């Protein structure tokens, strides 16, 4: 048993969207679908202003609101603490999208390519990976399903960190087991005042943030 | 039947979507690129990439890329005029080009002009430093006018022995960033510096950001100082005054030993020189007499006081600086910068105290001065008229506290390199030039002067022979000016007319300034254009050739030896850029085509000689005059020369990068190199007088601004000089981490960030209060109208994080070419606001003045803004 999660250090994050593109490149997500993304806003008024970047992804909640409403049983909280969608089982009803307080789920409604009708060789591979490719990502390969971040399960199987963590230029993202009190993520949450987004909703996210 | 996996490989190479050329690993499965990651072995990026680097797959496979050579059939040239392209063979294309070039070379080779785009830095430099001189032309210009760091390069060269600078973030405790995004969105060695910046901030380094707009840098700042654009020099002068005259914080020992601070200056502004050997004199405090630096112990040099030597009243250069800045009070600066005097005073004091003058640190067993206070500055601060004076004022902040090329301070990028342990190559070391002042050991990738002269000693100015005017102003280390001068050769007394333009992928119409001015320059030329796409500028081409992208070509020295490398400790490295897929369609590598052209032109011998010269190739490694080499063989020659027979092309293809650790004396060279740096640019005044007399003699239309000064002052840039109240704002551009120059707008992954995520970069940022006063709300369609150039249209976004008098626009938006469907109609064409005008040019360094005096108003036309996104009137 484990509870895989992530810690994102907002002091280190430079809001560059590298996580968004690292995720996209790794997981072949189509236009409009960004399993990882960054929200921006500003607070205060001139000249006492702060601008904030908030990287978002599936929070892999311990009490996932999405799982509770999933009628097909496609959304499951795994033994390792990650929340996954079985794309064979998903019926695309999108209840989970309504239930998720973090907007982390995407309905793949139709076949879309980044250059319109012209699918790039890269997108071809994503749509139809060669048989037996060990490290291929587990993205939904058909439309009409809901999809989201799975903390790069295919990379974890190869003992690699999720793509967004491995690439982060500011080294603002940490991946690990929140159930292990000695893990780096647990230590960071404890020592640096890690917080969850909207804890009052009771979903108990496994993504923690460190203050700016 | 489904195909199995017959290939699954990772190939080391180097990125080229911006000038930083970071190390990459490219994942190829069954012949298809499926992922680009950072190469953990490369000192450039250390295994992590920016969003641009990650998105190169989309550039490689963009179906809108050029695949075949094209010839123009419509003789009429204009913006948006269909050239009537017809496909031709490579052979036919090269025949036509050879014919044109042969004619020009016989008549006057200088009639060939060249330009190119900065992200493809290595092939561009290869062409400018080898092909062009072999051909016989020094007519090169850069098409990144408003992005290039001319003034910073001159200071980097003269004070740091390098092309560029960066702060030593591993040891810095207090960093002031003037108008740039070091480690936060762009700037040199960005991917590595981003890691170091986050580490430094987590460690507790205080970051002060001086910027009219709160962008990525301001977001990470402990303190954001929204300054009025074009006034950073005033702030720096006031800070210097606080340090030198109010708090007395300066590094006497450093100034005595490592600068020309003790050199005695006479009433004429020049050094007081020894009657015997002509060397500058200093005042020996112990003997109470003057002597040369060789005669006087450094610690006895006077840097303050007034003396009489041989009847001449003189003061040490440092005393002159100290006196010079006395009138620049924080209260004076407040009126100009809008930054409260008390803040300027506090920041200056904090900076000075953080520098910990007198402290030391031991690194790898070597005791060094420790000066953990630094600064970094770029286009936002110096991209104005008077760029030289502004940059000098800023740089002097570090010089007076000794925070220069020692731990924690401001560092030149790679000025000292003793080479790989096996070969002691590459090797360059700055040394003392005339008057004991620092002269760089390497310059733009060449240890010997190539197409560009070293910054010191300055080359004698002469009447313009080149359209870039860099022979009139050798203090300018790059120039965009040819787009302005080409139609006006007679005015500039240039004794020939340009005929052929060789364009390596630059989208000059969109990347310099007013596109109509650039169009006028291109219209009369025969334009040969190597391109990835048919962009806006190719509307003016006669022949278009399909270029390879960085993922389809071999570049043996992507980093121009070791330029744009992270400063401070770490590893040296030399990378390879290699094709990760075969060139798609009929695309060909620009450099290979150049070699082909050299052969067709019968100048292969000269070209080989220039390659030998540029790379310093010696002995068996030199290219023989008339032997034909493949591009791979040339790469192999270069690698084996620098790294020995065991490290040829094959080794590099397999390993990607050769690296070895920097030693302390390379990283922090200041205490070990006996060369002083000028805090008083004595030679500048005389140099300027020569320029002025050439200007007068030839009646050249060059502005006489009197900026060739030994010490800095603040003078208003054109936008601040205007008293036209109707145009009540200044427009400035800013950079984001996910776009470099104009080409990234065509990348759909990056476009998606700006379109769907980032709330600012495709909009026009206006301060909320200012906007509301003008009746503008977020989402309103507005015009930004420049007083001196055109106007641009877009949607407003109201923000608090911008100076109330400033309009902020991300660079290089607003493409209109139908051949760039991803880019088309997105972002705002800031560049159209900038007139290409000599009055908007720094007269010392040819830095472009990058802010425009504007007015903004709601557009009630009801049209879609993209229908007319800009207008030149």
């Amino acid at each position: 048993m484990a509870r895989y999660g992530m810690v994102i250090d907002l002091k280190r994050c430079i809001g560059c969207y590298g996580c968004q593109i690292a995720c996209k490149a790794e997981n072949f997500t189509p236009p409009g679908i960004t399993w990882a993304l960054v929200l921006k806003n500003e607070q205060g008024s001139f000249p006492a202003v702060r601008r904030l970047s908030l990287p978002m992804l599936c929070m892999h909640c311990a009490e996932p609101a999405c799982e509770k409403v999933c009628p097909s049983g496609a959304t499951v909280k795994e033994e390792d603490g990650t929340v996954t969608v079985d794309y064979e089982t998903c019926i695309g009803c999108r209840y989970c999208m309504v239930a998720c307080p973090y907007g982390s789920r995407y309905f793949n409604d139709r076949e879309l390519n980044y250059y319109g009708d012209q699918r790039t060789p890269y997108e071809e591979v994503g749509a139809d990976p060669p048989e037996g490719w060990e490290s291929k990502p587990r993205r939904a390969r058909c439309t009409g399903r809901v999809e989201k971040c799975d903390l790069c399960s295919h990379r974890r199987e190869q003992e690699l960190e999720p793509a967004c963590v491995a690439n982060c230029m500011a080294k603002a993202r940490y991946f690990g087991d929140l159930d292990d009190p000695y893990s780096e993520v647990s230590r960071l949450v404890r020592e640096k005042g890690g917080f969850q987004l909207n804890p009052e909703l009771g979903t108990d996210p496994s993504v923690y943030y460190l203050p700016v | 039947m489904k195909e199995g996996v017959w290939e699954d490989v990772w190939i080391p190479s180097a990125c080229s979507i911006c000038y930083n050329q970071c190390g990459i690993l490219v994942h190829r499965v069954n012949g298809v690129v499926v992922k680009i990651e950072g190469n953990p072995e490369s000192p450039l990026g250390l295994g992590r990439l920016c969003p641009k680097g990650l998105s190169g797959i989309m550039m490689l496979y963009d179906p809108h890329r050029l695949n075949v050579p094209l010839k123009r059939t419509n003789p009429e040239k204009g913006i948006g005029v269909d050239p009537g392209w017809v496909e031709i063979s490579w052979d036919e294309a090269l025949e036509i080009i050879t014919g044109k070039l042969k004619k020009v070379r016989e008549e006057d080779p200088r009639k060939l002009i060249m330009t190119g785009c900065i992200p493809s830095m290595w092939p561009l430099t290869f062409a400018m430093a080898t092909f062009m001189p072999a051909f016989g032309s020094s007519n090169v210009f850069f098409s990144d006018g408003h992005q290039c760091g001319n003034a910073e390069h001159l200071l980097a060269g003269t004070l740091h022995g390098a092309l560029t600078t960066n702060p030593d973030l591993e040891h810095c405790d207090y960093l002031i960033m003037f108008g740039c995004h070091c480690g936060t969105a762009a700037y040199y060695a960005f991917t590595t510096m981003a890691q170091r910046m986050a580490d430094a901030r987590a460690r507790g380094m205080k970051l002060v950001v001086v910027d009219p707009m709160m962008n990525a840098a301001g977001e990470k700042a402990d303190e954001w100082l929204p300054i009025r654009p074009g006034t950073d020099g005033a702030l720096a002068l006031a800070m210097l005054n606080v340090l030198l005259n109010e708090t007395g914080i300066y590094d006497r020992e450093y100034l005595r030993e490592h600068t020309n601070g003790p050199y005695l200056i006479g009433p004429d502004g020049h050094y007081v020189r020894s009657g015997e050997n002509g060397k500058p004199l200093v005042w020996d405090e112990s003997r109470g007499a003057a002597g040369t630096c060789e005669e006087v112990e450094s610690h006895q040099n006077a840097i303050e006081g007034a003396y009489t030597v041989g009847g001449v009243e003189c003061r040490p250069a440092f005393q002159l600086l100290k006196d010079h800045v006395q009138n620049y009070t924080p209260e004076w600066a407040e009126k100009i910068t809008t930054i409260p005097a008390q803040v300027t005073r506090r920041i200056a004091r904090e900076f000075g105290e953080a520098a910990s003058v007198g402290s030391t640190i031991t690194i790898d067993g070597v005791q060094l001065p420790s000066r953990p206070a630094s600064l970094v500055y770029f286009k936002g601060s110096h991209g104005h008229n008077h760029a030289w004076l502004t940059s000098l004022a800023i740089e002097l902040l570090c010089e007076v506290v000794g925070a220069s090329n020692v731990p924690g301070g401001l560092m030149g990028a790679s000025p000292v390199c003793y080479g790989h342990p096996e070969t002691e190559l590459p090797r360059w070391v700055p040394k003392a030039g005339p008057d004991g002042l620092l002269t760089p050991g390497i310059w733009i990738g060449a240890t010997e002067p190539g197409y560009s002269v070293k910054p010191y000693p300055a080359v004698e100015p002469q009447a313009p022979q080149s359209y870039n005017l860099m022979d009139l102003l050798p203090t300018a280390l790059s120039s965009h000016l040819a787009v302005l001068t080409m139609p006006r050769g007679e005015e500039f007394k240039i004794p020939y007319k340009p005929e052929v333009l060789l364009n390596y992928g630059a989208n000059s119409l969109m990347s310099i300034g007013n596109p109509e001015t650039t169009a006028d320059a291109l219209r009369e030329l025969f334009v040969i254009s190597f391109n990835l796409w048919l962009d806006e500028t190719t509307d003016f081409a006669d022949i278009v050739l399909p270029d390879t992208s960085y993922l389809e070509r071999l570049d043996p020295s992507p980093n121009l030896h070791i330029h744009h490398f992270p400063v401070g400790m770490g590893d040296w490295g030399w990378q390879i850029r290699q094709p990760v897929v075969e060139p798609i369609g009929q695309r060909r590598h620009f450099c290979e085509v150049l070699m082909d052209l050299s052969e067709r032109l019968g100048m292969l011998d000269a070209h080989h000689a220039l390659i030998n010269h540029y790379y310093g190739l010696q002995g068996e490694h030199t290219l023989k005059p008339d032997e034909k080499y493949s591009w791979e063989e040339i790469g192999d020659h270069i690698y084996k020369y620098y790294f020995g027979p065991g490290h040829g092309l094959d080794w590099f293809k397999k390993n990607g990068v050769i690296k070895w650790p920097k030693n302390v004396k390379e990283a922090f060279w200041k205490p070990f190199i006996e060369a002083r740096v000028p805090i008083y640019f004595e030679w500048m005044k005389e140099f300027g007088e020569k320029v002025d007399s050439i200007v007068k003699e030839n009646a050249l239309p060059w502005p006489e601004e009197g900026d060739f000064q030994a010490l800095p002052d603040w003078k208003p840039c054109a936008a601040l000089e205007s008293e036209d109240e109707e145009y009540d704002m200044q427009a400035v551009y800013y950079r984001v981490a996910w776009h470099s120059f104009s080409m990234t707008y065509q990348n759909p992954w990056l476009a998606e960030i700006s379109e769907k995520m980032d709330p600012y970069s495709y909009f026009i940022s206006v301060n909320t209060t200012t906007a509301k006063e003008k009746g503008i709300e977020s989402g309103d369609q507005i015009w930004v109208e420049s007083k001196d150039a055109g106007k641009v249209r877009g949607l407003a976004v109201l923000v608090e994080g911008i100076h109330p008098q400033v309009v902020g626009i991300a660079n290089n938006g607003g493409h209109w070419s139908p051949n760039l469907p991803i880019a088309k109609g997105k972002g705002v064409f800031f560049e159209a606001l900038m007139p290409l005008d000599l009055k908007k040019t720094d007269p010392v360094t040819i830095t472009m003045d990058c802010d425009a005096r504007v007015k903004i108003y709601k557009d009630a036309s009801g049209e879609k803004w993209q229908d007319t996104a800009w207008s030149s009137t």
Side-chain angles (χ1 to χ4, degrees):
Chain A
M1 289 288 282
R3 183 184 174 186
Y4 285 126
M6 202 179 285
V7 171
I8 300 177
D9 186 344
L10 298 179
K11 186 175 177 73
R12 297 186 69 103
C13 171
I14 54 172
C16 73
Y17 298 94
C19 46
Q20 179 173 322
I21 303 299
C23 170
K24 179 161 289 295
E26 178 72 32
N27 292 295
F28 298 91
T29 55
I33 295 187
T34 43
W35 294 355
L37 58 96
V38 184
L39 300 177
K40 303 214 173 188
N41 85 344
E42 56 174 15
Q43 294 170 356
S45 53
F46 182 87
V49 194
R50 300 284 349 194
R51 204 176 78 170
L52 294 173
S53 293
L54 183 70
M56 296 283 289
L57 68 161
C58 170
M59 299 286 150
H60 295 278
C61 303
E63 300 291 337
C66 52
E67 185 196 27
K68 293 190 176 71
V69 300
C70 176
S72 67
T75 289
V76 179
K77 185 169 166 290
E78 305 281 350
E79 288 205 337
D80 64 6
T82 63
V83 177
T84 59
V85 182
D86 178 355
Y87 300 126
E88 302 292 315
T89 312
C90 175
I91 55 169
C93 71
R94 289 170 270 178
Y95 284 5
C96 56
M97 290 176 68
V98 178
C100 172
Y102 307 103
S104 299
R105 291 176 159 256
Y106 295 83
F107 184 60
N108 190 352
D109 65 338
R110 67 205 144 103
E111 193 62 56
L112 282 178
N113 305 306
Y114 269 100
Y115 290 103
D117 296 341
Q118 292 156 291
R119 194 190 257 181
T120 62
Y122 162 84
E123 288 167 310
E124 291 283 358
V125 171
D128 192 13
E131 202 76 59
W133 180 20
E134 294 279 324
S135 59
K136 78 165 192 276
R138 284 175 180 53
R139 195 176 84 73
R141 281 166 49 192
C142 43
T143 54
R145 311 285 196 271
V146 170
E147 58 176 69
K148 66 167 195 72
C149 158
D150 65 350
L151 286 176
C152 284
S153 59
H154 63 291
R155 286 177 61 94
R156 288 187 282 121
E157 280 167 16
Q158 304 165 74
E159 301 194 342
L160 296 169
E161 292 178 316
C164 58
V165 177
N167 183 70
C168 179
M169 271 194 301
K171 295 185 285 185
R173 297 164 92 99
Y174 303 84
F175 170 77
D177 181 3
L178 290 164
D179 271 354
D180 173 2
Y182 299 105
S183 70
E184 190 177 27
V185 283
S186 295
R187 190 178 55 76
L188 286 168
V189 169
R190 255 193 334 266
E191 292 176 4
K192 294 197 165 179
F195 62 92
Q196 299 160 310
L197 294 187
N198 300 94
E200 74 283 1
L201 299 174
T203 54
D204 192 9
S206 297
V207 174
Y208 281 79
Y209 294 85
L210 303 182
V212 174
Chain B
M1 201 178 100
K2 243 176 121 51
E3 193 181 27
V5 179
W6 52 265
E7 181 194 56
D8 188 343
V9 291
W10 290 84
I11 302 152
S13 191
C15 187
S16 190
I17 302 183
C18 83
Y19 47 72
N20 283 320
Q21 326 285 310
C22 299
I24 58 174
L25 288 175
V26 182
H27 192 185
R28 192 177 70 203
V29 172
N30 288 3
V32 176
V33 175
V34 295
K35 183 95 191 279
I36 300 173
E37 294 186 358
N39 182 358
E41 291 301 309
S42 172
L44 282 152
L46 306 164
R48 292 160 194 264
L49 288 182
C50 77
K52 305 182 287 288
L54 296 165
S55 69
I57 304 171
M58 285 288 121
M59 182 207 259
L60 173 67
Y61 291 130
D62 182 347
H64 307 283
R65 286 267 308 273
L66 261 169
N67 288 317
V68 293
L70 299 171
K71 185 172 80 173
R72 173 181 211 97
T73 56
N74 182 1
E76 191 203 335
K77 288 185 179 181
I79 293 173
V81 174
D82 183 357
W85 296 119
V86 292
E87 187 180 331
I88 55 170
S89 69
W90 265 101
D91 250 350
E92 187 186 345
L94 293 180
E95 288 272 310
I96 297 170
I97 294 166
T98 306
K100 279 278 172 196
L101 291 181
K102 261 195 177 142
K103 173 187 165 284
V104 160
R105 195 158 186 247
E106 275 159 23
E107 290 169 6
D108 187 338
R110 297 174 301 178
K111 291 181 176 181
L112 174 65
I113 317 270
M114 192 199 155
T115 189
C117 72
I118 292 294
S120 291
M121 187 173 71
W122 190 80
L124 173 66
T125 307
F126 179 83
M128 288 185 169
T130 70
F131 179 83
M132 289 298 283
F135 189 86
S137 175
S138 58
N139 258 317
V140 298
F141 72 94
F142 290 88
S143 289
D144 60 335
H146 69 308
Q147 308 259 4
C148 199
N150 302 31
E152 189 253 10
H153 296 329
L154 180 58
L155 269 305
T158 49
L159 296 179
H160 307 277
L163 177 65
T164 59
T165 54
N166 241 329
D168 173 29
L169 293 180
E170 281 177 304
H171 301 98
C172 183
D173 293 332
Y174 195 99
L175 179 69
I176 309 177
M177 216 188 291
F178 290 90
C180 77
H181 283 116
C182 173
T184 53
Y187 209 55
Y188 302 115
F190 172 43
T191 47
T192 304
M193 293 302 281
Q195 297 170 47
R196 292 190 183 170
M197 177 63 80
D199 288 343
R201 292 183 53 260
R203 175 169 55 77
M205 180 189 79
K206 178 167 178 176
L207 175 62
V208 178
V209 168
V210 180
D211 197 316
M213 197 172 169
M214 176 169 278
N215 287 310
E219 178 177 331
K220 299 325 285 183
D222 296 286
E223 193 161 352
W224 171 54
L225 304 182
I227 193 169
R228 182 185 287 163
T231 69
D232 300 58
L235 174 65
L237 284 164
M239 288 174 65
L240 274 170
N241 188 18
V242 173
L243 289 173
L244 303 186
N245 294 309
E246 289 190 15
T247 63
I249 300 176
Y250 47 91
D251 188 342
R252 291 161 181 82
E253 197 186 327
Y254 172 81
L255 290 161
R256 279 181 167 140
E257 198 169 334
H258 297 290
T259 73
N260 70 351
Y263 288 17
L264 294 168
I265 310 295
D268 59 357
H270 287 297
Y271 296 142
V272 178
R273 293 179 181 274
S274 156
E276 285 168 27
N277 54 25
K279 289 185 177 173
L281 293 174
V282 297
W283 187 260
D284 184 339
E285 284 185 323
S286 65
R287 287 193 302 125
T292 64
C293 283
E294 287 80 14
E295 293 160 357
V296 182
E297 296 270 350
S298 282
H299 65 275
Q300 282 161 349
N301 285 338
I303 53 168
E304 292 170 78
Y307 307 95
T308 307
V309 177
V312 176
E313 285 183 11
C314 50
R315 283 176 291 167
F318 177 71
Q319 180 68 50
L320 250 72
L321 170 66
K322 210 173 157 210
D323 295 346
H324 180 80
V325 297
Q326 207 151 24
N327 293 328
Y328 292 126
T329 63
E331 286 72 20
W332 163 83
E334 176 173 347
K335 294 189 195 101
I336 295 163
T337 62
T338 70
I339 295 171
Q342 63 190 40
V343 175
T344 302
R345 201 165 259 124
R346 176 172 54 77
I347 298 291
R349 179 183 283 276
E350 284 177 6
F351 173 80
E353 284 170 357
S356 311
V357 172
S359 66
T360 61
I361 183 173
T362 300
I363 298 174
D364 286 356
V366 181
Q367 197 187 57
L368 300 156
S370 169
R371 296 291 180 278
S374 190
L375 52 85
V376 55
Y377 66 105
F378 211 62
K379 219 58 216 210
S381 50
H382 70 57
H384 304 275
N385 297 83
H386 319 297
W388 156 249
L389 298 176
T390 292
S391 303
L392 180 56
I394 293 172
E395 285 267 7
L396 287 177
L397 288 167
C398 270
E399 289 300 325
V400 299
V401 297
S404 176
N405 299 290
V406 295
L410 179 60
M411 319 284 294
S414 321
V416 180
C417 177
Y418 293 112
H420 188 270
E422 285 177 31
T423 56
E424 296 187 354
L425 286 172
R427 183 185 175 90
W428 55 81
V429 184
K431 57 177 197 270
D435 296 332
L437 300 183
L438 184 85
T439 184
I442 185 169
W443 193 247
I444 316 193
T447 44
E448 294 298 324
Y451 70 96
S452 180
V453 294
K454 283 186 189 177
Y456 183 81
V459 169
E460 288 289 302
Q462 51 175 309
Q465 296 293 310
S466 303
Y467 278 88
N468 55 30
L469 303 190
M470 283 163 70
D471 28 25
L472 174 67
L473 288 154
T475 38
L477 302 166
S478 82
S479 166
H480 62 281
L481 277 183
V483 290
L484 186 67
T485 53
M486 282 194 285
R488 298 164 58 183
E490 283 168 22
E491 249 179 276
F492 289 91
K493 313 290 189 296
I494 297 173
Y496 58 93
K497 273 191 150 186
E499 246 179 74
V500 180
L501 176 71
L502 179 62
N503 174 41
Y504 176 49
N507 194 351
S508 305
L509 240 61
M510 298 205 64
S511 62
I512 308 179
N514 187 345
E516 296 283 4
T517 309
T518 304
D520 288 341
L522 302 184
R523 198 171 274 117
E524 301 303 317
L525 302 172
F526 184 85
V527 179
I528 305 157
S529 203
F530 288 77
N531 284 82
L532 299 178
W533 300 273
L534 282 174
D535 61 24
E536 288 76 9
T537 303
T538 54
D539 279 356
F540 290 82
D542 292 274
I543 300 279
V544 174
L545 299 169
D547 191 19
T548 48
S549 72
Y550 72 101
L551 295 168
E552 304 164 276
R553 69 174 191 248
L554 172 72
D555 292 344
S557 172
N559 303 88
L560 301 184
H561 294 35
I562 300 179
H563 268 304
H564 301 344
F565 247 61
V567 300
M569 296 299 281
D571 283 326
W572 292 117
W574 188 308
Q575 308 190 103
I576 187 175
R577 175 175 298 118
Q578 60 178 319
V580 298
V581 293
E582 286 298 310
I584 296 168
Q586 294 179 37
R587 299 171 192 170
R588 286 187 68 189
H589 184 356
F590 172 59
C591 294
E592 291 194 61
V593 178
L594 288 183
M595 298 308 300
D596 195 342
L597 282 172
S598 283
E599 195 187 2
R600 285 167 186 257
L601 292 164
M603 55 176 241
L604 205 54
D605 51 345
H607 198 175
H608 284 172
L610 262 299
I611 295 172
N612 291 336
H613 176 75
Y614 179 70
Y615 278 99
L617 302 180
Q618 309 273 339
E620 57 174 320
H621 303 286
T622 52
L623 303 181
K624 295 189 182 79
D626 291 316
E627 198 164 319
K628 205 180 164 195
Y629 299 93
S630 71
W631 189 236
E632 290 214 331
E633 284 167 341
I634 292 174
D636 195 50
H637 269 73
I638 293 169
Y639 283 130
K640 285 185 175 150
Y641 170 66
Y642 280 99
F643 301 107
H647 296 115
L649 181 67
D650 290 341
W651 188 93
F652 273 85
K653 279 185 171 178
K654 185 161 171 269
N655 296 280
V657 55
I658 191 165
K659 62 175 184 177
W660 66 99
K662 276 189 206 177
N663 74 47
V664 178
K665 292 182 179 181
E666 291 172 316
F668 304 113
W669 55 271
K670 180 64 88 175
F672 311 106
I673 301 281
E674 279 194 25
R676 291 171 182 268
V677 297
I679 58 163
Y680 180 94
F681 279 74
E682 188 255 3
W683 56 268
M684 191 58 95
K685 189 164 169 272
E686 199 178 329
F687 178 89
E689 284 161 6
K690 287 178 190 165
V691 174
D692 285 346
S693 77
I694 295 168
V695 167
K696 277 198 196 87
E697 261 171 46
N698 297 279
L700 302 176
W702 189 252
E704 271 187 71
E705 302 263 7
D707 277 13
F708 294 94
Q709 296 181 194
L711 291 172
D713 279 311
W714 179 79
K715 302 176 187 181
C717 62
L720 292 171
E721 266 179 333
S722 166
E723 285 170 7
D724 190 335
E725 283 177 17
E726 188 191 343
Y727 294 84
D728 56 347
M729 300 184 80
Q730 275 172 279
V732 298
Y733 80 91
Y734 65 94
R735 303 270 315 262
V736 295
W738 55 97
H739 283 299
S740 49
F741 304 123
S742 73
M743 72 175 176
T744 49
Y745 278 74
Q746 172 62 15
N747 188 309
W749 288 359
L750 302 175
E752 190 172 45
I753 296 174
S754 284
E755 272 186 286
K756 305 255 173 72
M757 294 293 154
D758 179 65
Y760 314 112
S761 54
Y762 279 0
F763 291 82
I764 299 165
S765 294
V766 188
N767 178 282
T768 307
T769 308
T770 309
K772 287 192 184 295
E773 280 167 15
K774 294 175 186 292
I776 294 169
E777 296 290 341
S778 265
D780 280 354
Q781 190 160 307
I782 62 170
W783 282 106
V784 180
E785 188 173 325
S786 167
K787 182 174 171 292
D788 301 309
K791 56 183 181 177
V792 299
R793 190 156 67 165
L795 305 178
V797 57
L798 273 49
V799 294
E800 293 292 341
I802 190 167
H803 193 286
Q805 290 165 298
V806 172
V807 178
I809 299 173
N811 60 282
N812 293 112
H815 286 265
W816 62 83
S817 171
N819 307 308
L820 299 169
I822 303 296
K824 190 183 170 202
K826 290 174 194 162
V828 178
F829 188 19
F830 171 81
E831 290 69 19
L833 296 173
M834 294 191 294
L836 284 163
D837 188 338
L838 293 177
K839 286 192 202 112
K840 298 273 286 178
T841 310
D842 178 56
V844 180
T845 62
I846 312 191
T847 302
M848 198 167 146
D849 190 4
C850 300
D851 68 319
R853 186 82 175 217
V854 298
K855 61 178 175 183
I856 59 172
Y857 51 92
K858 259 171 101 158
D859 168 36
S861 66
E863 297 164 358
K864 208 174 150 202
W865 67 269
Q866 288 97 337
D867 293 346
T868 310
W870 63 277
S871 152
S872 62
T873 50

